[in-house]
Amino acid sequence: MGEQWNQLEQQFMDYTKEMSQYEEAIGLMFWDLRTGAPKKGVEGRSDVIATLSQKVHEMTTSVEMKGYIDELKGNTNDPIIQKSIEECEKNYNQYSKIPSEEYKEYVSLQSKSEAVWEEAKEKNDFEMYRPYLEKMVEYNKRFAEYWGYEDHIYNALLNNFEPGVTVDVLDQVFPKVRKELTNLLQKIQTSDVKPNPSVLTGEFPKQLQQDFSLEILNRMGYDFEAGRLNETVHPFAIGLNTGDVRVTTKYDEADFRTAVFGTIHEGGHALYEQNIDQKLAYTPLAGGTSMGIHESQSLFWENFVARTEPFWKNHFDLFLANAPETFRYVDFYDFFNAVNEVKPSLIRIEADELTYCLHIMVRYELEKALINSEIEVQDLPKLWNDKMEEYLGVRPTSDREGVMQDVHWSGGAFGYFPSYALGYMYAAQFHSAMKQELDVEKIIGKGDFDQIRSWLTENIHQYGKMKKPLEILEDVTSEKLNPEHLINHLTEKYQKVYNF
Amino acid sequence: MGEQWNQLEQQFMDYTKEMSQYEEAIGLMFWDLRTGAPKKGVEGRSDVIATLSQKVHEMTTSVEMKGYIDELKGNTNDPIIQKSIEECEKNYNQYSKIPSEEYKEYVSLQSKSEAVWEEAKEKNDFEMYRPYLEKMVEYNKRFAEYWGYEDHIYNALLNNFEPGVTVDVLDQVFPKVRKELTNLLQKIQTSDVKPNPSVLTGEFPKQLQQDFSLEILNRMGYDFEAGRLNETVHPFAIGLNTGDVRVTTKYDEADFRTAVFGTIHEGGHALYEQNIDQKLAYTPLAGGTSMGIHESQSLFWENFVARTEPFWKNHFDLFLANAPETFRYVDFYDFFNAVNEVKPSLIRIEADELTYCLHIMVRYELEKALINSEIEVQDLPKLWNDKMEEYLGVRPTSDREGVMQDVHWSGGAFGYFPSYALGYMYAAQFHSAMKQELDVEKIIGKGDFDQIRSWLTENIHQYGKMKKPLEILEDVTSEKLNPEHLINHLTEKYQKVYNF
């Protein structure tokens, strides 16, 4: 590949390869910390991660990097180098616009703040957490000014997670989705159909759950020669290199859904990373293009494949073969409806497919108002509870189950939450496009997912960061972000399940 | 700790800490490659290891490092800094004396040579391997000249593994050991007692072996909050930092000895690394002081604790509780004698406690003669077989079971093998010293190993590389290297087992 590169291009690619290699080592240490690293080694290991991260940070903002950007931007015939330069420039700007002293203070505050959040959540003590959250908001407002923005200060933060998506885009889409979902929710809640989740919650030994999860991963096309499945407290997928993309899951012996749908979800993330074009390996483009597109891939498999009727029709026998005897007499539709139960609840990560986006709306509206200085941190607990009551009809009785439930803000990740809801919309829009080319229901019904996986690879996975999120969306679906696909999908689905 | 350091000292310690951190990351990647890293990620991961190793190499031989050595050597009040500087100087000289082009060629040849060795061994084709081995010998002879030596060129190589131990030392000790061991072997072979190893080799499920191994590790004082046990093809122990020292073992369901004695052996290595003084963490001194002293720690636990009568008297019930029913009617002495069976065989890593050192003699004599240019690589197969026949009474019928069985030479590790035999002698000498202070048999008989572990920590572990191997040996035992301790130990032991 390198033959057609000139000397400068080669140097630049070597330079970014080295950065990717440090990131790979960091990634492995991160994975290891979560899969059984001994407790007494953690402090030292965290320092090793910090040292290597510092190295990457230095390289991201170095004079050398600036030189590559200035020399090569718009001045190369290789599209990989051009896109890599753009990616590096984005990162260069993101870090170098912040005064380095201020950035250091911020990084140090971040870990402190996350630790305080954890303790405060445990103790249900928002006042303990408040000063840290206030500082995180202040830093992010200042950073947004350093980075610059058009129209809305919050755009500067959105740009870190979902480049191209702005407040104007979200404000056109989110209220509409919210309205339709709350309408749907009302119909569901007044329906006579009451799925009975207790048919799903018998004792289910871990080993059997694991066998079933591994078989589903295998059928999805997850390459076990390029990955492995481990157990962690919080499930995740991590791409160390394109030949090593690991998945973790969590087992609840009283509820197999945690592991099975969790594995499928993380498997969707992993398929993305496993199928990025090999030509992009060890370049700055060897990763998912945005949080939202990444989430669209996990949600596609979780909701558009694994929560569908044809999927369970095809896999019910396999499920029963792996399940304990107690499941043997469960009626298929009792099972299927229970898998698709809608039930407003307080905790985002436990939410069903319908109410999940409403949880995101609460967060989006609050964080935007915070960054716009329209509300204060001290107002958050009440505002959170009010919005939860308004959109979901449930009201937290503690901040632990309310505003303090998520780690994101404690680490300063404002602008991240919208990606989750965008992931739902992207997934639905991809699903509509796929249906124009493939008989998706039939394929799922046959359990032969190769065509689905190939379509996603062809259209999305292979590009890595070669295309921006909205560019991929528009190239694949020939339209702009359109929430109707999600709304239609959910309406059709729940009409069937809840019979309205 | 840093308060009493001046600015230069602090910079030096920061510099070496960074090196240790890279080494920790490399260590974790190494561990991961052997405990389940997916196949398709290996090539990329190996390049990451190479990049970080290159970084460490650059720092080891940098102008900056030379500056620290010149400024601080003999010019600091802190003994840790003084010893660290000496360690760094040793490494600086080792690498910087070799022209960098030549070193690069060597590193590249090393991996090629190891790969060829593996294939040649598989095919039992010494001729295929010969040119590589010849080159490795040539490089090592040249390197020895670069490094310099007194009296014997081979001393330059020995110094890499066992600083302070010379050909004169070995030639005074090894022939004597060889003579006594072959005498003992003769007595054993003419004894009427014939231990029956078949009492040990019933079907023994992996899980049960693991439970028993974990319990023994626990009793040895292995800290599970600072380590973990995994399964690998080749067992090893690895210290990532003093709070993360991992052990691996191999399970043979037809022979529990592989896992049990293997775990105890690696556990002995791990106890060394877990108990190095915290003050040395992340300095150049945070590791075992030599291959031989390290081996003395694993052998101490394996042979001087876990192959003794009081050990099995105490642990036989625990063993039976973990063993399958078929073991229930084994007579204690049949069991104990079988555990201590002596049987000359072709493969070093499967050798018993007595014949192991004879395997080492074969290798030592041959590699010394190679480096001295007294023999040629092409003569090795025949010489190997002749010596095996002479010392052990068994003659390999293939080079795969002869001169090609070990990886060491293929990677250029000449001067390494003697460390194993030294480990035996050190362990025996430490054992004698310990017996002067503790009633070792009684302690082992009570299964309360804390006093043993503490004694080893007090006398050996804590110092890391603060003391050179022979310095530790003499400080602890108040005498120079003395093979009589090993000879006495083996004589007493086998007199009892074989009744002569």
Side-chain angles (χ1 to χ4, degrees), chain B residues 84-112:
Chain B
S84 294
I85 281 286
E86 288 168 20
E87 182 67 21
C88 288
E89 186 183 28
K90 194 189 86 187
N91 295 329
Y92 179 85
N93 286 334
Q94 176 166 11
Y95 293 113
S96 62
K97 284 186 176 170
I98 301 172
S100 70
E101 262 320 296
E102 210 171 327
Y103 183 70
K104 250 190 181 157
E105 287 162 22
Y106 178 67
V107 170
S108 145
L109 182 68
Q110 255 179 331
S111 39
K112 187 82 216 281

PDB file of all heavy atoms in Angstrom, chain B residues 84-112:
ATOM      1  N   SER B  84      19.974   1.696  41.130  1.00  0.00           N
ATOM      2  CA  SER B  84      19.242   1.859  39.870  1.00  0.00           C
ATOM      3  C   SER B  84      20.181   2.325  38.763  1.00  0.00           C
ATOM      4  O   SER B  84      20.111   1.854  37.627  1.00  0.00           O
ATOM      5  CB  SER B  84      18.103   2.875  40.034  1.00  0.00           C
ATOM      6  OG  SER B  84      17.132   2.395  40.921  1.00  0.00           O
ATOM      7  N   ILE B  85      21.041   3.241  39.110  1.00  0.00           N
ATOM      8  CA  ILE B  85      22.017   3.738  38.130  1.00  0.00           C
ATOM      9  C   ILE B  85      22.918   2.596  37.671  1.00  0.00           C
ATOM     10  O   ILE B  85      23.198   2.461  36.480  1.00  0.00           O
ATOM     11  CB  ILE B  85      22.855   4.892  38.758  1.00  0.00           C
ATOM     12  CG1 ILE B  85      22.052   6.196  38.740  1.00  0.00           C
ATOM     13  CG2 ILE B  85      24.194   5.071  38.057  1.00  0.00           C
ATOM     14  CD1 ILE B  85      21.913   6.846  37.373  1.00  0.00           C
ATOM     15  N   GLU B  86      23.346   1.763  38.613  1.00  0.00           N
ATOM     16  CA  GLU B  86      24.208   0.632  38.234  1.00  0.00           C
ATOM     17  C   GLU B  86      23.478  -0.316  37.282  1.00  0.00           C
ATOM     18  O   GLU B  86      24.050  -0.794  36.303  1.00  0.00           O
ATOM     19  CB  GLU B  86      24.670  -0.138  39.483  1.00  0.00           C
ATOM     20  CG  GLU B  86      25.696   0.639  40.293  1.00  0.00           C
ATOM     21  CD  GLU B  86      25.937   0.029  41.678  1.00  0.00           C
ATOM     22  OE1 GLU B  86      25.611  -1.173  41.880  1.00  0.00           O
ATOM     23  OE2 GLU B  86      26.427   0.753  42.571  1.00  0.00           O
ATOM     24  N   GLU B  87      22.211  -0.566  37.593  1.00  0.00           N
ATOM     25  CA  GLU B  87      21.408  -1.434  36.737  1.00  0.00           C
ATOM     26  C   GLU B  87      21.258  -0.816  35.336  1.00  0.00           C
ATOM     27  O   GLU B  87      21.402  -1.495  34.319  1.00  0.00           O
ATOM     28  CB  GLU B  87      20.023  -1.632  37.396  1.00  0.00           C
ATOM     29  CG  GLU B  87      19.074  -2.549  36.667  1.00  0.00           C
ATOM     30  CD  GLU B  87      19.506  -4.010  36.645  1.00  0.00           C
ATOM     31  OE1 GLU B  87      20.315  -4.419  37.511  1.00  0.00           O
ATOM     32  OE2 GLU B  87      19.038  -4.724  35.731  1.00  0.00           O
ATOM     33  N   CYS B  88      20.992   0.477  35.308  1.00  0.00           N
ATOM     34  CA  CYS B  88      20.832   1.168  34.023  1.00  0.00           C
ATOM     35  C   CYS B  88      22.143   1.186  33.248  1.00  0.00           C
ATOM     36  O   CYS B  88      22.151   1.072  32.025  1.00  0.00           O
ATOM     37  CB  CYS B  88      20.333   2.600  34.237  1.00  0.00           C
ATOM     38  SG  CYS B  88      18.609   2.661  34.755  1.00  0.00           S
ATOM     39  N   GLU B  89      23.226   1.343  33.963  1.00  0.00           N
ATOM     40  CA  GLU B  89      24.529   1.364  33.292  1.00  0.00           C
ATOM     41  C   GLU B  89      24.821  -0.002  32.661  1.00  0.00           C
ATOM     42  O   GLU B  89      25.313  -0.081  31.535  1.00  0.00           O
ATOM     43  CB  GLU B  89      25.634   1.725  34.283  1.00  0.00           C
ATOM     44  CG  GLU B  89      26.979   1.908  33.583  1.00  0.00           C
ATOM     45  CD  GLU B  89      28.116   2.197  34.556  1.00  0.00           C
ATOM     46  OE1 GLU B  89      28.028   1.756  35.732  1.00  0.00           O
ATOM     47  OE2 GLU B  89      29.081   2.863  34.145  1.00  0.00           O
ATOM     48  N   LYS B  90      24.496  -1.061  33.406  1.00  0.00           N
ATOM     49  CA  LYS B  90      24.690  -2.410  32.866  1.00  0.00           C
ATOM     50  C   LYS B  90      23.916  -2.563  31.555  1.00  0.00           C
ATOM     51  O   LYS B  90      24.452  -3.021  30.542  1.00  0.00           O
ATOM     52  CB  LYS B  90      24.202  -3.442  33.899  1.00  0.00           C
ATOM     53  CG  LYS B  90      24.634  -4.860  33.613  1.00  0.00           C
ATOM     54  CD  LYS B  90      23.940  -5.858  34.542  1.00  0.00           C
ATOM     55  CE  LYS B  90      22.589  -6.258  33.957  1.00  0.00           C
ATOM     56  NZ  LYS B  90      21.774  -7.096  34.851  1.00  0.00           N
ATOM     57  N   ASN B  91      22.667  -2.137  31.579  1.00  0.00           N
ATOM     58  CA  ASN B  91      21.844  -2.262  30.369  1.00  0.00           C
ATOM     59  C   ASN B  91      22.329  -1.331  29.259  1.00  0.00           C
ATOM     60  O   ASN B  91      22.327  -1.696  28.084  1.00  0.00           O
ATOM     61  CB  ASN B  91      20.382  -1.963  30.691  1.00  0.00           C
ATOM     62  CG  ASN B  91      19.792  -2.995  31.635  1.00  0.00           C
ATOM     63  OD1 ASN B  91      20.197  -4.163  31.612  1.00  0.00           O
ATOM     64  ND2 ASN B  91      18.874  -2.574  32.484  1.00  0.00           N
ATOM     65  N   TYR B  92      22.739  -0.137  29.670  1.00  0.00           N
ATOM     66  CA  TYR B  92      23.263   0.811  28.682  1.00  0.00           C
ATOM     67  C   TYR B  92      24.456   0.184  27.951  1.00  0.00           C
ATOM     68  O   TYR B  92      24.519   0.186  26.722  1.00  0.00           O
ATOM     69  CB  TYR B  92      23.680   2.108  29.380  1.00  0.00           C
ATOM     70  CG  TYR B  92      24.266   3.130  28.429  1.00  0.00           C
ATOM     71  CD1 TYR B  92      23.438   3.998  27.723  1.00  0.00           C
ATOM     72  CD2 TYR B  92      25.646   3.208  28.214  1.00  0.00           C
ATOM     73  CE1 TYR B  92      23.961   4.925  26.825  1.00  0.00           C
ATOM     74  CE2 TYR B  92      26.177   4.123  27.322  1.00  0.00           C
ATOM     75  CZ  TYR B  92      25.337   4.976  26.638  1.00  0.00           C
ATOM     76  OH  TYR B  92      25.863   5.875  25.741  1.00  0.00           O
ATOM     77  N   ASN B  93      25.381  -0.361  28.728  1.00  0.00           N
ATOM     78  CA  ASN B  93      26.562  -0.973  28.115  1.00  0.00           C
ATOM     79  C   ASN B  93      26.193  -2.171  27.247  1.00  0.00           C
ATOM     80  O   ASN B  93      26.705  -2.332  26.151  1.00  0.00           O
ATOM     81  CB  ASN B  93      27.553  -1.416  29.197  1.00  0.00           C
ATOM     82  CG  ASN B  93      28.263  -0.221  29.791  1.00  0.00           C
ATOM     83  OD1 ASN B  93      28.399   0.826  29.143  1.00  0.00           O
ATOM     84  ND2 ASN B  93      28.696  -0.345  31.036  1.00  0.00           N
ATOM     85  N   GLN B  94      25.287  -2.982  27.779  1.00  0.00           N
ATOM     86  CA  GLN B  94      24.930  -4.183  27.036  1.00  0.00           C
ATOM     87  C   GLN B  94      24.438  -3.839  25.635  1.00  0.00           C
ATOM     88  O   GLN B  94      24.789  -4.508  24.663  1.00  0.00           O
ATOM     89  CB  GLN B  94      23.869  -4.966  27.792  1.00  0.00           C
ATOM     90  CG  GLN B  94      23.417  -6.187  26.985  1.00  0.00           C
ATOM     91  CD  GLN B  94      22.632  -7.171  27.822  1.00  0.00           C
ATOM     92  OE1 GLN B  94      22.250  -6.873  28.945  1.00  0.00           O
ATOM     93  NE2 GLN B  94      22.421  -8.344  27.276  1.00  0.00           N
ATOM     94  N   TYR B  95      23.609  -2.812  25.535  1.00  0.00           N
ATOM     95  CA  TYR B  95      23.049  -2.496  24.228  1.00  0.00           C
ATOM     96  C   TYR B  95      23.897  -1.518  23.429  1.00  0.00           C
ATOM     97  O   TYR B  95      23.999  -1.627  22.217  1.00  0.00           O
ATOM     98  CB  TYR B  95      21.631  -1.956  24.368  1.00  0.00           C
ATOM     99  CG  TYR B  95      20.688  -3.014  24.864  1.00  0.00           C
ATOM    100  CD1 TYR B  95      20.099  -2.929  26.119  1.00  0.00           C
ATOM    101  CD2 TYR B  95      20.410  -4.133  24.077  1.00  0.00           C
ATOM    102  CE1 TYR B  95      19.253  -3.925  26.583  1.00  0.00           C
ATOM    103  CE2 TYR B  95      19.566  -5.131  24.534  1.00  0.00           C
ATOM    104  CZ  TYR B  95      18.994  -5.020  25.785  1.00  0.00           C
ATOM    105  OH  TYR B  95      18.162  -6.006  26.241  1.00  0.00           O
ATOM    106  N   SER B  96      24.499  -0.549  24.102  1.00  0.00           N
ATOM    107  CA  SER B  96      25.153   0.495  23.314  1.00  0.00           C
ATOM    108  C   SER B  96      26.511   0.045  22.781  1.00  0.00           C
ATOM    109  O   SER B  96      27.046   0.637  21.860  1.00  0.00           O
ATOM    110  CB  SER B  96      25.279   1.789  24.123  1.00  0.00           C
ATOM    111  OG  SER B  96      26.075   1.544  25.250  1.00  0.00           O
ATOM    112  N   LYS B  97      27.047  -1.031  23.350  1.00  0.00           N
ATOM    113  CA  LYS B  97      28.329  -1.512  22.827  1.00  0.00           C
ATOM    114  C   LYS B  97      28.166  -2.251  21.502  1.00  0.00           C
ATOM    115  O   LYS B  97      29.141  -2.461  20.784  1.00  0.00           O
ATOM    116  CB  LYS B  97      29.014  -2.412  23.866  1.00  0.00           C
ATOM    117  CG  LYS B  97      29.641  -1.598  24.986  1.00  0.00           C
ATOM    118  CD  LYS B  97      30.446  -2.460  25.931  1.00  0.00           C
ATOM    119  CE  LYS B  97      31.134  -1.587  26.972  1.00  0.00           C
ATOM    120  NZ  LYS B  97      31.741  -2.415  28.044  1.00  0.00           N
ATOM    121  N   ILE B  98      26.954  -2.683  21.219  1.00  0.00           N
ATOM    122  CA  ILE B  98      26.707  -3.364  19.944  1.00  0.00           C
ATOM    123  C   ILE B  98      26.309  -2.323  18.903  1.00  0.00           C
ATOM    124  O   ILE B  98      25.405  -1.531  19.156  1.00  0.00           O
ATOM    125  CB  ILE B  98      25.563  -4.394  20.092  1.00  0.00           C
ATOM    126  CG1 ILE B  98      25.926  -5.422  21.161  1.00  0.00           C
ATOM    127  CG2 ILE B  98      25.253  -5.061  18.761  1.00  0.00           C
ATOM    128  CD1 ILE B  98      24.784  -6.356  21.514  1.00  0.00           C
ATOM    129  N   PRO B  99      26.988  -2.294  17.755  1.00  0.00           N
ATOM    130  CA  PRO B  99      26.600  -1.328  16.709  1.00  0.00           C
ATOM    131  C   PRO B  99      25.115  -1.491  16.399  1.00  0.00           C
ATOM    132  O   PRO B  99      24.629  -2.619  16.267  1.00  0.00           O
ATOM    133  CB  PRO B  99      27.458  -1.736  15.514  1.00  0.00           C
ATOM    134  CG  PRO B  99      28.619  -2.470  16.096  1.00  0.00           C
ATOM    135  CD  PRO B  99      28.127  -3.130  17.334  1.00  0.00           C
ATOM    136  N   SER B 100      24.406  -0.378  16.276  1.00  0.00           N
ATOM    137  CA  SER B 100      22.947  -0.476  16.259  1.00  0.00           C
ATOM    138  C   SER B 100      22.427  -1.233  15.040  1.00  0.00           C
ATOM    139  O   SER B 100      21.425  -1.936  15.122  1.00  0.00           O
ATOM    140  CB  SER B 100      22.297   0.901  16.393  1.00  0.00           C
ATOM    141  OG  SER B 100      22.522   1.639  15.224  1.00  0.00           O
ATOM    142  N   GLU B 101      23.138  -1.107  13.913  1.00  0.00           N
ATOM    143  CA  GLU B 101      22.715  -1.875  12.733  1.00  0.00           C
ATOM    144  C   GLU B 101      22.788  -3.380  13.003  1.00  0.00           C
ATOM    145  O   GLU B 101      21.898  -4.148  12.644  1.00  0.00           O
ATOM    146  CB  GLU B 101      23.624  -1.541  11.521  1.00  0.00           C
ATOM    147  CG  GLU B 101      23.044  -0.515  10.571  1.00  0.00           C
ATOM    148  CD  GLU B 101      21.544  -0.680  10.318  1.00  0.00           C
ATOM    149  OE1 GLU B 101      21.167  -1.728   9.762  1.00  0.00           O
ATOM    150  OE2 GLU B 101      20.754   0.207  10.704  1.00  0.00           O
ATOM    151  N   GLU B 102      23.874  -3.756  13.657  1.00  0.00           N
ATOM    152  CA  GLU B 102      24.085  -5.170  13.947  1.00  0.00           C
ATOM    153  C   GLU B 102      23.027  -5.692  14.922  1.00  0.00           C
ATOM    154  O   GLU B 102      22.534  -6.813  14.785  1.00  0.00           O
ATOM    155  CB  GLU B 102      25.479  -5.331  14.559  1.00  0.00           C
ATOM    156  CG  GLU B 102      26.107  -6.669  14.259  1.00  0.00           C
ATOM    157  CD  GLU B 102      27.580  -6.719  14.704  1.00  0.00           C
ATOM    158  OE1 GLU B 102      28.268  -5.676  14.651  1.00  0.00           O
ATOM    159  OE2 GLU B 102      28.009  -7.813  15.110  1.00  0.00           O
ATOM    160  N   TYR B 103      22.685  -4.853  15.872  1.00  0.00           N
ATOM    161  CA  TYR B 103      21.689  -5.271  16.854  1.00  0.00           C
ATOM    162  C   TYR B 103      20.325  -5.461  16.192  1.00  0.00           C
ATOM    163  O   TYR B 103      19.609  -6.416  16.480  1.00  0.00           O
ATOM    164  CB  TYR B 103      21.593  -4.254  17.990  1.00  0.00           C
ATOM    165  CG  TYR B 103      20.635  -4.692  19.067  1.00  0.00           C
ATOM    166  CD1 TYR B 103      20.945  -5.753  19.908  1.00  0.00           C
ATOM    167  CD2 TYR B 103      19.400  -4.072  19.218  1.00  0.00           C
ATOM    168  CE1 TYR B 103      20.057  -6.193  20.876  1.00  0.00           C
ATOM    169  CE2 TYR B 103      18.498  -4.500  20.185  1.00  0.00           C
ATOM    170  CZ  TYR B 103      18.840  -5.553  21.011  1.00  0.00           C
ATOM    171  OH  TYR B 103      17.944  -5.987  21.956  1.00  0.00           O
ATOM    172  N   LYS B 104      20.007  -4.540  15.283  1.00  0.00           N
ATOM    173  CA  LYS B 104      18.741  -4.629  14.543  1.00  0.00           C
ATOM    174  C   LYS B 104      18.667  -5.938  13.747  1.00  0.00           C
ATOM    175  O   LYS B 104      17.660  -6.642  13.772  1.00  0.00           O
ATOM    176  CB  LYS B 104      18.631  -3.463  13.561  1.00  0.00           C
ATOM    177  CG  LYS B 104      17.583  -2.444  13.944  1.00  0.00           C
ATOM    178  CD  LYS B 104      17.380  -1.480  12.782  1.00  0.00           C
ATOM    179  CE  LYS B 104      16.352  -0.429  13.121  1.00  0.00           C
ATOM    180  NZ  LYS B 104      16.514   0.771  12.292  1.00  0.00           N
ATOM    181  N   GLU B 105      19.760  -6.231  13.017  1.00  0.00           N
ATOM    182  CA  GLU B 105      19.801  -7.480  12.247  1.00  0.00           C
ATOM    183  C   GLU B 105      19.587  -8.681  13.165  1.00  0.00           C
ATOM    184  O   GLU B 105      18.893  -9.632  12.829  1.00  0.00           O
ATOM    185  CB  GLU B 105      21.168  -7.644  11.562  1.00  0.00           C
ATOM    186  CG  GLU B 105      21.431  -6.744  10.375  1.00  0.00           C
ATOM    187  CD  GLU B 105      22.941  -6.669  10.063  1.00  0.00           C
ATOM    188  OE1 GLU B 105      23.684  -7.600  10.467  1.00  0.00           O
ATOM    189  OE2 GLU B 105      23.355  -5.671   9.457  1.00  0.00           O
ATOM    190  N   TYR B 106      20.207  -8.587  14.331  1.00  0.00           N
ATOM    191  CA  TYR B 106      20.132  -9.691  15.285  1.00  0.00           C
ATOM    192  C   TYR B 106      18.699  -9.902  15.762  1.00  0.00           C
ATOM    193  O   TYR B 106      18.192 -11.029  15.770  1.00  0.00           O
ATOM    194  CB  TYR B 106      21.057  -9.406  16.472  1.00  0.00           C
ATOM    195  CG  TYR B 106      21.037 -10.456  17.545  1.00  0.00           C
ATOM    196  CD1 TYR B 106      21.531 -11.743  17.315  1.00  0.00           C
ATOM    197  CD2 TYR B 106      20.555 -10.166  18.815  1.00  0.00           C
ATOM    198  CE1 TYR B 106      21.525 -12.699  18.313  1.00  0.00           C
ATOM    199  CE2 TYR B 106      20.540 -11.123  19.819  1.00  0.00           C
ATOM    200  CZ  TYR B 106      21.034 -12.390  19.568  1.00  0.00           C
ATOM    201  OH  TYR B 106      21.022 -13.330  20.559  1.00  0.00           O
ATOM    202  N   VAL B 107      18.027  -8.806  16.137  1.00  0.00           N
ATOM    203  CA  VAL B 107      16.654  -8.907  16.627  1.00  0.00           C
ATOM    204  C   VAL B 107      15.757  -9.499  15.549  1.00  0.00           C
ATOM    205  O   VAL B 107      14.901 -10.347  15.816  1.00  0.00           O
ATOM    206  CB  VAL B 107      16.131  -7.522  17.077  1.00  0.00           C
ATOM    207  CG1 VAL B 107      14.640  -7.575  17.357  1.00  0.00           C
ATOM    208  CG2 VAL B 107      16.894  -7.059  18.318  1.00  0.00           C
ATOM    209  N   SER B 108      15.995  -9.052  14.316  1.00  0.00           N
ATOM    210  CA  SER B 108      15.170  -9.562  13.230  1.00  0.00           C
ATOM    211  C   SER B 108      15.471 -11.051  12.977  1.00  0.00           C
ATOM    212  O   SER B 108      14.565 -11.852  12.755  1.00  0.00           O
ATOM    213  CB  SER B 108      15.402  -8.697  11.986  1.00  0.00           C
ATOM    214  OG  SER B 108      15.341  -9.451  10.832  1.00  0.00           O
ATOM    215  N   LEU B 109      16.751 -11.418  13.072  1.00  0.00           N
ATOM    216  CA  LEU B 109      17.123 -12.824  12.897  1.00  0.00           C
ATOM    217  C   LEU B 109      16.544 -13.702  14.010  1.00  0.00           C
ATOM    218  O   LEU B 109      16.131 -14.842  13.767  1.00  0.00           O
ATOM    219  CB  LEU B 109      18.646 -12.972  12.867  1.00  0.00           C
ATOM    220  CG  LEU B 109      19.167 -14.401  12.637  1.00  0.00           C
ATOM    221  CD1 LEU B 109      18.847 -14.897  11.241  1.00  0.00           C
ATOM    222  CD2 LEU B 109      20.677 -14.497  12.905  1.00  0.00           C
ATOM    223  N   GLN B 110      16.522 -13.144  15.208  1.00  0.00           N
ATOM    224  CA  GLN B 110      16.033 -13.903  16.363  1.00  0.00           C
ATOM    225  C   GLN B 110      14.651 -14.495  16.129  1.00  0.00           C
ATOM    226  O   GLN B 110      14.425 -15.685  16.329  1.00  0.00           O
ATOM    227  CB  GLN B 110      15.919 -12.968  17.581  1.00  0.00           C
ATOM    228  CG  GLN B 110      17.005 -13.149  18.599  1.00  0.00           C
ATOM    229  CD  GLN B 110      16.838 -12.167  19.761  1.00  0.00           C
ATOM    230  OE1 GLN B 110      16.296 -11.070  19.588  1.00  0.00           O
ATOM    231  NE2 GLN B 110      17.320 -12.555  20.922  1.00  0.00           N
ATOM    232  N   SER B 111      13.699 -13.640  15.679  1.00  0.00           N
ATOM    233  CA  SER B 111      12.343 -14.171  15.537  1.00  0.00           C
ATOM    234  C   SER B 111      12.283 -15.153  14.369  1.00  0.00           C
ATOM    235  O   SER B 111      11.593 -16.162  14.443  1.00  0.00           O
ATOM    236  CB  SER B 111      11.313 -13.045  15.398  1.00  0.00           C
ATOM    237  OG  SER B 111      11.830 -12.023  14.605  1.00  0.00           O
ATOM    238  N   LYS B 112      13.038 -14.839  13.321  1.00  0.00           N
ATOM    239  CA  LYS B 112      13.101 -15.770  12.191  1.00  0.00           C
ATOM    240  C   LYS B 112      13.641 -17.120  12.678  1.00  0.00           C
ATOM    241  O   LYS B 112      13.087 -18.175  12.370  1.00  0.00           O
ATOM    242  CB  LYS B 112      14.032 -15.173  11.114  1.00  0.00           C
ATOM    243  CG  LYS B 112      14.090 -15.931   9.805  1.00  0.00           C
ATOM    244  CD  LYS B 112      12.920 -15.584   8.899  1.00  0.00           C
ATOM    245  CE  LYS B 112      12.418 -16.756   8.087  1.00  0.00           C
ATOM    246  NZ  LYS B 112      13.145 -17.115   6.920  1.00  0.00           N
TER     247      LYS B 112
END
